[in-house]
Amino acid sequence: MAARGDVATMREFVGTFAGLYLGDDTWRFRSVAQMVLETGTLWPPSPWPGDRPQWQPGRCFDAATAYADATQAAYVEGFVLVPGLTEWPVFEHAWCLRDGKVADPSLPDGHAALYLGIALAPAFRAAEQARRGTSAVLMADPADFRIGDNEQVLQWGLPEGAAAGQAPAGTLMP
């Protein structure tokens, strides 16, 4: 699976993000990072399947949405670890799962070391994207900073059936 150091780095940085919270103690999750830490799944990187062209980095939510729509892959939101990228090697990201393996339409092979996220059911994803007016379902949209984290999901948690029914290949965050 993942190197122990990669898991520790992921936990450290996502834990830092979890401390930047919204809402109050009545909310189910005070941040998307907290939700992903508590309910997310780890996946190692996989080679790009090559069945579609990859997008340029920086538009992961749009790229993952387009890829999921075109291939029926599961859409995932969470965090990715890209060692050596910056002083903050873990950042918010969206990718897909095909046959339980990562298919990342916006990061070239060899960059990511580890993924941590929540696979979302297609109907929930589409409904939330329409309601929010963005491809980002759980997280803030980097293309439109007026659209923040999904406060409804943070306040009440993911509704029944919102998580993808596909069994994850990874493990829950240790």
Side-chain angles (χ1 to χ4, degrees), residues 4-92:
R4 208 173 275 189
D6 290 343
V7 173
T9 299
M10 180 72 82
R11 181 192 311 241
E12 175 189 352
F13 281 90
V14 177
T16 298
F17 287 125
L20 307 172
Y21 53 80
L22 302 169
D24 58 37
D25 291 339
T26 65
W27 287 27
R28 172 66 182 94
F29 300 105
R30 304 264 325 250
S31 67
V32 173
Q34 178 195 3
M35 179 171 53
V36 172
L37 273 175
E38 290 182 16
T39 66
T41 301
L42 288 169
W43 287 278
S46 300
W48 177 244
D51 56 347
R52 300 261 187 262
Q54 280 185 294
W55 289 43
Q56 294 295 318
R59 298 198 41 219
C60 64
F61 299 103
D62 294 333
T65 296
Y67 188 76
D69 287 344
T71 65
Q72 281 69 56
Y75 174 95
V76 185
E77 278 188 31
F79 295 87
V80 63
L81 169 62
V82 180
L85 179 67
T86 67
E87 291 183 32
W88 287 87
V90 174
F91 53 90
E92 295 174 332

Side-chain angles (χ1 to χ4, degrees), residues 56-154:
Q56 294 295 318
R59 298 198 41 219
C60 64
F61 299 103
D62 294 333
T65 296
Y67 188 76
D69 287 344
T71 65
Q72 281 69 56
Y75 174 95
V76 185
E77 278 188 31
F79 295 87
V80 63
L81 169 62
V82 180
L85 179 67
T86 67
E87 291 183 32
W88 287 87
V90 174
F91 53 90
E92 295 174 332
H93 194 57
W95 63 95
C96 293
L97 292 177
R98 293 222 27 213
D99 303 319
K101 294 182 180 177
V102 169
D104 190 335
S106 66
L107 275 181
D109 286 351
H111 286 76
L114 188 63
Y115 294 83
L116 172 66
I118 301 169
L120 301 172
F124 174 76
R125 173 185 60 89
E128 285 300 293
Q129 287 172 330
R131 182 181 73 80
R132 290 169 39 88
T134 177
S135 293
V137 175
L138 304 174
M139 300 179 166
D141 183 350
D144 185 348
F145 288 104
R146 296 172 297 170
I147 301 173
D149 290 342
N150 190 329
E151 292 185 19
Q152 184 175 327
V153 169
L154 293 177

